[in-house]
Amino acid sequence: MPRLIALTLTLLTLLPNWLHATEIIQPLIPSGDKIVILVRHAEKIPSLSKDPSLSPEGKLRAEELLSTLKTTQLSGLIATPFKRTQETLAPISENRALPVNIIEIKEGVMAHIEATVQSIRSQSGNVLVAGHSNTIPLIISALGGPEIDGIDEDEYSNMFILSLSSDSKVKLKHTNFGQR
């Protein structure tokens, strides 16, 4: 019985975040607008490796991302070559049979940002991007969005939703998903 109560309380804490994200995304989609959703990769395992996998908490957050975006149409998924970004998108990729487009970072962060923006602009529909604390603000800015504060190393619940209109207007909404 205590496990059932704990599970119920956990689910109740997730529900408002899911509703909040969905409520923000839906009004942002006027016809003709492209939505770009940007999230930082989910929690990673503590490791000395430069390419750690997701922790159990991170895997749960990746599943929560799938739940949060269950009614949002997506035509593209973008990640970096690092496992943690790809694993963050894996549940959505598998659920929707959408491949993850890996944007290289070998040529440096700015070349990565330019290639990511080019990939986003070449997509005809909505795009979900899993990035890093240092790339998400740069991608938002490169797409014409406002400058945002940096993302702390221990922040994983941020979701940035950019609406790119055909008349070059860009709107940004910030919300959270999953447990904080």
Side-chain angles (χ1 to χ4, degrees), residues 39-43 54-70 72 74 77 79 83-100 128 130 177:
V39 297
R40 181 178 179 216
H41 62 79
E43 293 88 338
L54 294 183
S55 66
E57 295 84 5
K59 290 176 183 175
L60 176 61
R61 185 174 303 281
E63 292 293 336
E64 291 168 343
L65 181 60
L66 171 63
S67 294
T68 299
L69 298 177
K70 73 179 179 181
T72 303
L74 296 169
L77 304 174
K83 288 188 281 192
R84 56 194 177 268
T85 61
Q86 296 170 42
E87 291 173 3
T88 299
L89 297 180
I92 291 177
S93 175
E94 293 164 9
N95 180 271
R96 300 189 186 194
L98 277 174
V100 177
L128 172 61
F177 72 101

Side-chain angles (χ1 to χ4, degrees), residues 27 32 41 56 72-73 76 80 85 88 91 95 99 108 115 117 130 142 147 172 175 179:
H41 62 79
T72 303
Q73 291 187 2
T80 69
T85 61
T88 299
N95 180 271
V117 168
E147 284 190 29
L172 175 67
T175 189
Q179 293 216 354

